[in-house]
């Protein structure tokens, strides 16, 4: 048996695309496909007039079909005509093709993409030496189909996004861009989460070389690129992966485990070695071929918990609800990726808390770098949507996350999932009249920046788009003609810049030494205050959660001296009512909880006020 084929069968071929699929060779074009239980496989395409002159393939290694021919031309379309185990004949996509034709067709494309002379060595070298746990990460989440549309409704390709999106990322001071799945999918309504091509760039977004150029340009401008990836389930379309050779091939043999009832999909058999080779090869392909900096693995809970779906389920042999196949696959995935690329980001979208997701595999985790903090997101949005009259009775929604903030390495997400299906846009969620809604939104984003954990915001939320996100329409860019929306965008830009420029907000994100709670008991006024710290400096962060101005508001501080306000969400330039920041203020002696000094200032309605120590009085002590 060929070594590449043998390692694929044992689950250890992590560059399976170098063997399977289409390859231009000195003898012509070689095609290989894994279809172990097929009766026959023929190659068909433009060059055979499809089924009319189909080319029989030869079965080798008992599971692989192969043919070499000089008939195709670059750009031709092709499929594999599979005679399934039951005699049914069906045309299937090439699971390893790097591109499919434009919809509604799903044929694979014969590509001959020249080798790229990458110019992002400095970025890659810096990334490989970095410690991203101690660096700012502020992610702009993008659905490329609907970030901007042409006048005829068609989306921008990556060639066009290179000229438009990258300058916007630079202007808005984001550190990373994260794309919802870029892999081939047959229906835009799925937002890309129902995949048919695990190596193929969605044709709607342009050619593979355009995405490579986009990523390179991001790196030249110090922006990292993250992609969403869906290894748990796949599209049921009959011309794609589903029951490829007429038997369960990529999916489980057990129908209960194979069927994903919630999403109308099929679950990968994550315990099958060939599927492990296929999926890990896919992940590494996107990281290596496109120089991607991170992968967000979608729906981890669905892969790990047998009872996560809405349909029937069966316990494992230990009698628990853990999908041991999924558990061990994810650990293997992260181990392989980290061995080859230690400093790429592996991120889990996971809503459960039973299994530790982040941290070293040696500590019995799944091995991810980061996990989306869904609990924080749900609690905090409930709080900010609430009438301020009731916030003092629900103050725990604001503070509870600090009890578990270091239990995982978290990203704080306000993602696409929060602005669809009647949930309202981020701005529309906020309480009050229009001006108060923008005040609440500015307060919320400042709170997100000051809370421990890395950051993520979905496109359009940065300028307060009012309508929910629509997957088939561009964002409401015309709303920037409105003064409040324009100032909201300016606020997000300024807040992002402030975040990047102040290391206490990101240098110690995953240890309690980076946070010190000052007052988590002021529920009556609904004011919350804490310090964010690095090894040398700290920021005082104070949040007023009611539309009531607090004149001469007093809070305890750790050091005596002169403090200066360095950011306030209610400045007029941001859409608020303040002409300028509070003046520099000296502390006063006085017992305040366990502090010996206090600071008093005006806290605006629904305002976020951030301070730093300007001059320390070395003669006086702070804490008791």
């Amino acid at each position: 048996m060929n070594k590449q084929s043998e390692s694929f069968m044992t689950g250890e071929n992590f560059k399976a695309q170098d063997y399977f699929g289409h390859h231009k060779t000195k003898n012509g074009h070689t095609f290989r496909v894994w279809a172990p239980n097929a009766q026959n496989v023929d190659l068909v395409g433009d060059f055979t007039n499809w089924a009319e002159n189909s080319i029989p393939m030869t079965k080798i290694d008992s599971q692989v079909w192969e043919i070499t021919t000089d008939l195709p031309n670059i750009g031709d379309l092709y499929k594999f005509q599979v005679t399934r185990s039951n005699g049914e004949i069906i045309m299937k996509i090439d699971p390893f093709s790097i591109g499919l034709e434009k919809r509604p067709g799903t044929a694979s494309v014969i590509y001959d993409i020249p080798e790229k002379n990458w110019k992002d060595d400095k970025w890659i070298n810096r990334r490989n030496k970095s410690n991203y746990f101690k660096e700012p990460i502020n992610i702009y989440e993008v659905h490329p189909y609907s970030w901007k549309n042409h006048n005829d409704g068609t989306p921008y390709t990556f060639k066009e996004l290179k000229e438009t999106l990258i300058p916007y990322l630079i202007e808005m001071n984001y550190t990373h861009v994260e794309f919802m799945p870029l892999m081939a999918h047959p229906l835009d309504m799925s937002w890309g989460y129902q995949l048919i091509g695990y190596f193929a760039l969605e044709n709607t977004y342009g050619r593979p070389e355009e995405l490579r150029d986009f990523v390179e340009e991001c790196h030249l401008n110090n922006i990292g690129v993250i992609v969403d990836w869906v290894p748990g389930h796949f599209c049921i379309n009959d011309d794609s992966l589903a029951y490829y050779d007429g038997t369960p091939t990529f999916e489980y043999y057990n129908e209960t485990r194979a069927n994903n009832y919630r999403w109308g999909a099929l679950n990968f058999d994550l315990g099958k070695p060939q599927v492990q080779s296929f999926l890990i090869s896919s992940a590494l392909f996107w990281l290596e071929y496109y120089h991607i900096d991170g992968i967000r693995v979608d729906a981890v809970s669905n892969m790990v918990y047998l009872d996560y779906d809405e349909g029937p389920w069966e316990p494992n042999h230990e009698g628990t609800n853990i999908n041991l196949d999924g558990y061990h696959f994810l650990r293997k995935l992260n181990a392989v990726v980290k061995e080859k690329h230690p400093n790429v980001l592996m991120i889990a979208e996971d809503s459960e808390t039973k299994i530790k997701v982040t941290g070293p595999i040696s500590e019995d985790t799944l091995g991810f770098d980061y996990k989306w903090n869904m609990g924080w997101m749900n609690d905090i949005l409930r709080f900010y949507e609430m009438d301020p009259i009731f916030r003092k009775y629900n103050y725990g929604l604001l503070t509870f996350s600090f009890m578990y903030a270091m239990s995982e390495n978290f990203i704080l997400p306000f993602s696409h999932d929060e602005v669809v299906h009647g949930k309202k846009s981020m701005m529309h969620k906020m309480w009050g009249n229009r001006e108060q809604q923008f005040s609440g939104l500015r307060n919320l984003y400042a709170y997100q920046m000051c809370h421990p954990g890395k950051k993520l915001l979905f496109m359009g939320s940065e300028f307060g788009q009012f309508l929910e996100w629509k997957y088939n329409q561009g964002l409401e860019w015309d709303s920037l003609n409105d003064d409040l929306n324009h100032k909201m965008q300016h606020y997000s830009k300024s807040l992002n810049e402030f975040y990047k420029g102040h290391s206490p907000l990101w240098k110690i994100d995953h240890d309690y030494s980076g946070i010190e709670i000052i007052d988590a008991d002021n529920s009556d006024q609904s004011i919350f205050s804490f310090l964010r710290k690095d090894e040398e400096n700290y920021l005082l962060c104070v949040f007023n959660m009611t539309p009531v101005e607090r004149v001469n508001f007093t809070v305890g501080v750790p050091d005596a001296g002169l403090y200066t306000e360095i950011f306030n969400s209610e400045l007029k330039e941001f859409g608020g009512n303040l002409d300028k920041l509070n003046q520099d203020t000296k502390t006063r002696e006085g017992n305040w909880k366990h502090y010996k000094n206090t600071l008093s200032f005006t806290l605006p309605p629904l305002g976020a006020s951030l301070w730093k120590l300007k001059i320390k009085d070395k003669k006086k002590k702070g804490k008791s």
Side-chain angles (χ1 to χ4, degrees):
M1 181 179 286
N2 178 282
K3 287 185 178 180
Q4 287 181 295
S5 179
E6 182 179 9
S7 60
F8 178 79
M9 302 308 167
T10 60
E12 300 300 323
N13 187 340
F14 306 133
K15 287 185 177 292
Q17 73 277 5
D18 290 349
Y19 181 67
F20 291 97
H22 162 261
H23 298 280
K24 193 174 185 301
T25 67
K26 61 182 180 181
N27 297 320
H29 299 265
T30 297
F31 299 82
R32 296 187 189 94
V33 63
W34 176 55
N37 296 306
Q39 293 185 22
N40 290 293
V41 178
D42 292 349
L43 175 66
V44 298
D46 293 335
F47 46 92
T48 69
N49 199 19
W50 295 94
E52 184 174 331
N53 299 304
S54 60
I55 304 173
M57 300 177 72
T58 302
K59 194 173 189 181
I60 60 173
D61 298 340
S62 75
Q63 297 193 30
V64 179
W65 298 80
E66 179 185 82
I67 186 65
T68 298
T69 175
D70 59 0
L71 288 178
N73 295 306
I74 301 303
D76 281 350
L77 305 179
Y78 72 97
K79 281 190 174 186
F80 296 122
Q81 183 174 275
V82 178
T83 303
R84 287 173 153 176
S85 57
N86 62 0
E88 178 190 11
I89 298 176
I90 189 168
M91 290 187 185
K92 287 283 196 177
I93 67 166
D94 177 356
F96 288 90
S97 62
I98 66 171
L100 303 182
E101 67 173 319
K102 289 186 178 180
R103 302 181 200 142
T106 57
S108 300
V109 181
I110 294 181
Y111 273 110
D112 184 21
I113 300 175
E115 286 296 316
K116 181 172 176 60
N117 181 22
W118 288 90
K119 301 175 183 177
D120 60 351
D121 290 352
K122 288 184 179 180
W123 167 270
I124 298 296
N125 291 336
R126 187 166 62 249
R127 185 192 75 185
N128 291 342
K129 295 176 182 178
S130 68
N131 181 351
Y132 42 73
F133 294 114
K134 295 185 176 182
E135 295 178 355
I137 295 180
N138 187 15
I139 304 165
Y140 187 61
E141 188 191 22
V142 172
H143 179 244
Y145 193 97
S146 57
W147 185 69
K148 278 188 178 179
N149 286 173
H150 293 292
N151 291 335
D152 63 358
T154 57
Y156 283 21
T157 66
F158 271 103
K159 183 178 181 180
E160 295 164 313
L161 290 172
K162 176 183 172 183
E163 305 301 324
T164 53
L165 176 55
I166 294 177
Y168 188 72
L169 295 168
I170 297 168
E171 177 190 359
M172 295 300 294
N173 295 302
Y174 288 101
T175 66
H176 292 72
V177 59
E178 177 178 329
F179 289 107
M180 295 162 69
L182 302 179
M183 301 83 189
H185 51 278
L187 186 65
D188 292 322
M189 193 179 294
S190 77
W191 314 337
Y193 292 101
Q194 294 275 18
L195 301 183
I196 57 174
Y198 276 76
F199 295 82
L201 174 67
E202 169 55 47
N203 191 297
T204 309
Y205 303 148
R207 291 175 55 84
E209 53 265 48
E210 295 174 7
L211 175 57
R212 298 174 98 186
D213 290 344
F214 176 92
V215 174
E216 179 181 70
E217 188 68 17
C218 280
H219 290 170
L220 294 175
N221 287 281
N222 297 314
I223 296 168
V225 182
I226 301 167
V227 296
D228 286 8
W229 181 62
V230 191
H233 60 276
F234 57 93
C235 185
I236 62 174
N237 284 21
D238 207 26
D239 57 356
S240 57
L241 301 183
Y243 298 97
Y244 199 87
D245 62 11
T247 65
T249 310
F250 291 92
E251 56 273 91
Y252 286 103
Y253 279 90
N254 183 318
E255 287 190 11
T256 297
R257 299 186 68 186
N259 289 314
N260 191 307
Y261 299 94
R262 176 177 296 180
W263 295 315
L266 289 167
N267 293 319
F268 278 107
D269 182 349
L270 299 174
K272 187 179 289 185
Q274 298 93 331
V275 172
Q276 294 176 4
S277 289
F278 175 78
L279 289 173
I280 296 176
S281 294
S282 169
L284 289 173
F285 172 78
W286 287 89
L287 292 171
E288 295 170 354
Y289 188 78
Y290 291 109
H291 284 206
I292 298 297
D293 303 290
I295 290 176
R296 193 212 71 157
V297 178
D298 184 62
V300 166
S301 296
N302 178 68
M303 301 169 70
V304 175
Y305 300 100
L306 294 167
D307 58 349
Y308 184 78
D309 197 6
E310 296 174 349
W313 69 281
E314 301 169 2
N316 61 32
H317 69 272
E318 298 176 350
T320 74
N321 68 334
I322 303 301
N323 181 354
L324 297 173
D325 292 336
Y327 173 83
H328 290 296
F329 167 76
L330 289 170
R331 285 166 56 86
K332 180 177 180 177
L333 166 71
N334 284 316
V336 171
V337 169
K338 286 300 180 180
E339 180 184 10
K340 297 178 180 295
H341 305 286
N343 277 46
V344 302
L345 294 166
M346 293 299 290
I347 303 166
E349 188 266 317
D350 177 57
S351 57
E352 300 293 330
T353 59
K354 299 170 188 175
I355 292 176
K356 196 168 190 309
V357 172
T358 62
I361 290 176
S362 59
E363 297 179 5
D364 199 26
T365 74
L366 294 181
F368 286 95
D369 296 306
Y370 286 102
K371 170 182 175 176
W372 278 17
N373 193 337
M374 311 295 278
W376 172 86
M377 177 273 299
N378 284 316
D379 285 350
I380 209 66
L381 289 181
R382 279 182 60 201
F383 185 84
Y384 275 83
E385 289 180 77
M386 191 177 296
D387 188 314
I389 292 175
F390 303 107
R391 289 181 181 177
K392 65 180 180 180
Y393 305 113
N394 295 274
Y395 192 71
L397 292 172
L398 185 67
T399 61
F400 177 65
S401 59
F402 288 88
M403 300 293 291
Y404 63 88
M406 308 304 163
S407 62
E408 300 269 14
N409 302 326
F410 284 120
I411 289 175
L412 309 178
F414 292 134
S415 74
H416 63 276
D417 276 328
E418 311 320 314
V419 293
V420 290
H421 302 322
K423 296 178 185 177
K424 303 179 181 180
S425 68
M426 291 295 292
M427 202 283 284
H428 196 188
K429 293 177 192 289
M430 299 297 105
W431 166 89
N433 60 36
R434 185 166 167 78
E435 289 189 358
Q436 290 169 326
Q437 285 181 312
F438 275 104
S439 290
L441 194 60
R442 293 192 298 269
N443 185 307
L444 173 60
Y445 290 170
Y447 183 71
Q448 179 194 31
M449 288 298 177
C450 294
H451 192 288
K454 308 309 182 184
K455 326 299 176 187
L456 178 142
L457 187 67
F458 184 61
M459 63 182 199
S461 302
E462 77 277 12
F463 58 81
Q465 174 166 307
F466 182 81
L467 295 180
E468 284 189 340
W469 167 59
K470 295 180 177 62
Y471 70 89
N472 56 354
Q473 296 181 19
L475 298 179
E476 293 182 301
W477 294 104
D478 287 346
S479 68
L480 289 172
N481 295 323
D482 180 275
D483 186 57
L484 284 174
N485 288 104
H486 182 74
K487 288 180 176 179
M488 185 69 216
Q489 184 189 49
H490 171 60
Y491 174 78
S492 295
K493 171 184 175 180
S494 302
L495 182 62
N496 292 345
E497 183 179 29
F498 181 87
Y499 167 72
K500 289 202 298 184
H502 290 83
S503 58
L505 296 180
W506 41 260
K507 198 168 186 182
I508 308 178
D509 253 336
H510 312 299
D511 187 277
Y512 278 113
S513 62
I515 183 80
E516 181 178 322
I517 303 298
I518 293 180
D519 189 6
D521 301 315
N522 192 353
S523 58
D524 282 344
Q525 290 183 312
S526 294
I527 297 175
F528 187 29
S529 55
F530 55 86
L531 303 178
R532 285 303 311 276
K533 304 187 291 183
D534 61 18
E535 295 89 346
E536 299 176 354
N537 305 296
Y538 60 82
L539 297 181
L540 169 63
C541 309
V542 185
F543 300 89
N544 183 3
M545 303 301 181
T546 69
V548 179
E549 182 182 55
R550 305 294 179 181
V551 179
N552 203 34
F553 176 77
T554 300
V555 66
V557 289
D559 294 297
L562 183 68
Y563 283 74
T564 184
E565 188 179 39
I566 53 177
F567 194 89
N568 194 303
S569 63
E570 284 303 296
L571 290 175
K572 283 186 176 178
E573 65 174 293
F574 301 146
N577 295 304
L578 298 180
D579 291 315
K580 58 184 179 179
L581 297 170
N582 280 287
Q583 64 183 8
D584 290 357
T585 304
K586 289 183 178 180
T587 58
R588 295 181 180 180
E589 291 187 26
N591 291 326
W592 199 96
K593 291 198 171 184
H594 57 282
Y595 297 101
K596 291 294 186 181
N597 299 283
T598 64
L599 186 71
S600 298
F601 55 91
T602 297
L603 186 59
L606 298 172
S609 178
L610 310 182
W611 296 72
K612 73 174 183 179
L613 179 64
K614 187 174 184 179
I615 302 174
K616 184 176 180 179
D617 187 341
K618 298 181 180 180
K619 297 180 181 180
K620 297 180 180 179
K621 295 183 178 181
K623 293 183 181 180
S624 57

